[in-house]
Amino acid sequence: MATWDATTVIMLKRDKQTLPDDAIRWFIQAYTDGTVADEQASALAMAVFLNGLSGDELAVWTEAMINTGTRVTHSGIDLPLVDKHSTGGVGDKVSLILCPLIAALGGMVMPQLAGRGLGHTGGTIDKMEAIPGWHPEMTPDALKAALLDVGAVIAAASGEIAPADKKLYALRDTTGTVASIPLIASSIMSKKIAGGTEYLVLDVKVGRGAFMQTVEEARELAETMVGIGNRSGVKTSALLTRMDQPLGRMIGNTLEVDESVATLQGNGPQDLVDVTVALAQEMMDLAGVPGDPAAMLASGGAMAKWDAMVRVQGGDPDAPRQYAANRQELLAPQAGFVTDMNALSMGLASMRLGAGRARKEDAVSFGAGIQILKKPGESVEKGEPVLALFADEESRFIGANELLDDAIQYGSEAPEPSSPVIERIA
Ligand code: URA
């Protein structure tokens, strides 16, 4: 490998040049080792944010991120390995439902290596930790045993999977370089490819509560990630789904576990059911497995897998979960219909209530969050509760309410209903 220096690589990308393959490989490895400093990696991230990466540069960049760690092999499992990844949204508890649903449908296994939430979006691991006793750490042997026994596992991604991304993502988070298509695509796909999946469905969120605000941007991100996956031997497709308003009626850790369980019992809100079923169907189509995910979900047939999945990691699905000590309602200022609900404001308000973290080292409150009593399209009377807010400390309601004042719109007519799934990219 040629020897490079960080300044030369940064200046090449600053000047809109194509980075040589060995320059990319050297930079990513040297940053992971600590040879390249944070400020140099920030400068390159900003140069990529502004000037982009070509398809070939991106393929090498992603492969270099994968090669900084281990690639999981899942030997001894004969069934197709399927997975899904969401680019992050508000109230997005789909993984909690999809994993047991896929296990119940059978014919495939789903090892879901998940993360914690940051900012206004929640994280699957934080939600699962709201179940008393449940722990996210699994040794490779325990993960394999759980996959063979239950058929699906949600576990924390080990530090050995794409360690370059751990450093780079934390840096991007503080340097205004998160919302870059090549950087998001390489971050997500390096972790998923290194995680050893064979069939991957991406849930690319579009709208105010998502990284991608427009369908065009989301389509470009989806096509980029699908291209990286298929080039590296992971059969990949994507669904673009709406994230203008929160998914379902619950935001917050315990609240989202409760809503996931209700959905697994066949009583889920329609938008959440629609997105979950569409993703399950897409995973089955990719892996060539027959079955009817909508019927399975509606029948409550995946509940036994949920119980088994929780118990295998020390959790007690029947134990009382933690709820917040304080509840406050937000009332409709007028009669009519709820016409809009801003997912970003709701996610940030939920974070201020304690459900999310502003910095990586913050703890989350399991009980904090928001219950949506009236979704867009539903009618309200003046003074009727639209939201219920939950927090451990009453003082948290003030900051949340500041954000919620303008988050909800009302009108005299119901808005046109729109399907939560926008399009499929294969
Ligand atoms: N999720 C990731 O894992 N990485 C990103 O860059 C953005 C969202």
Side-chain angles (χ1 to χ4, degrees), residues 85-88 165 169 172 177-180 183-189 191 211:
H85 184 87
S86 155
T87 55
D165 183 60
Y169 189 81
R172 287 167 53 214
T177 50
V178 170
S180 143
L183 294 178
I184 295 176
S186 54
S187 163
I188 291 176
M189 294 307 291
K191 287 177 288 199
F211 287 124

Side-chain angles (χ1 to χ4, degrees), residues 28 61-71 160-164 189-191 193-194 232:
I28 299 282
W61 183 289
T62 308
E63 177 209 272
M65 304 236 308
I66 295 169
N67 289 340
T68 58
T70 50
R71 200 166 163 162
E160 285 154 33
I161 291 188
M189 294 307 291
S190 62
K191 287 177 288 199
I193 296 167
S232 59

Side-chain angles (χ1 to χ4, degrees), residues 167-406:
K167 282 188 85 174
L168 201 52
Y169 189 81
L171 193 73
R172 287 167 53 214
D173 204 38
T174 54
T175 56
T177 50
V178 170
S180 143
I181 288 178
L183 294 178
I184 295 176
S186 54
S187 163
I188 291 176
M189 294 307 291
S190 62
K191 287 177 288 199
K192 287 290 150 180
I193 296 167
T197 191
E198 295 168 329
Y199 302 92
L200 175 64
V201 176
L202 299 159
D203 180 4
V204 179
K205 301 283 184 202
V206 189
R208 289 172 303 206
F211 287 124
M212 298 294 117
Q213 306 285 306
T214 66
V215 172
E216 290 69 31
E217 285 172 330
R219 193 179 289 134
E220 192 184 335
L221 175 62
E223 284 170 356
T224 306
M225 291 195 288
V226 167
I228 296 174
N230 287 323
R231 256 171 108 150
S232 59
V234 177
K235 212 169 163 194
T236 308
S237 68
L239 298 182
L240 308 191
T241 68
R242 283 183 214 287
M243 187 36 70
D244 280 313
Q245 50 167 292
L247 193 58
R249 289 183 182 269
M250 302 289 199
I251 309 166
N253 301 300
T254 297
L255 294 173
E256 293 194 44
V257 172
D258 290 355
E259 187 167 56
S260 301
V261 171
T263 306
L264 285 162
Q265 289 168 334
N267 302 316
Q270 199 57 50
D271 57 347
L272 179 59
V273 169
D274 288 350
V275 172
T276 308
V277 166
L279 289 166
Q281 190 65 61
E282 188 64 29
M283 291 163 84
M284 296 168 79
D285 291 349
L286 272 192
V289 175
D292 185 344
M296 178 64 82
L297 197 56
S299 72
M303 263 312 285
K305 288 291 184 186
W306 163 260
D307 281 4
M309 201 180 86
V310 169
R311 286 187 199 284
V312 106
Q313 279 158 275
D316 180 352
D318 304 321
R321 294 188 270 276
Q322 265 177 43
Y323 293 90
N326 299 288
R327 180 179 192 274
Q328 194 182 77
E329 288 178 345
L330 191 122
L331 308 179
Q334 64 180 80
F337 290 88
V338 176
T339 55
D340 197 13
M341 197 166 267
N342 184 325
L344 177 60
S345 311
M346 302 276 287
L348 290 170
S350 171
M351 189 179 102
R352 287 193 181 178
L353 291 168
R357 51 171 75 74
R359 292 173 310 161
K360 274 207 309 287
E361 52 282 6
D362 292 348
V364 298
S365 153
F366 291 131
I370 302 176
Q371 178 178 11
I372 301 169
L373 302 167
K374 297 284 179 183
K375 292 264 283 180
E378 294 176 350
S379 63
V380 279
E381 297 301 326
K382 184 173 177 187
E384 208 183 345
V386 176
L387 302 180
L389 314 185
F390 299 90
D392 294 332
E393 303 96 29
E394 222 170 334
S395 55
R396 288 187 175 263
F397 290 130
I398 301 165
N401 277 316
E402 280 168 10
L403 292 168
L404 292 171
D405 276 348
D406 298 327

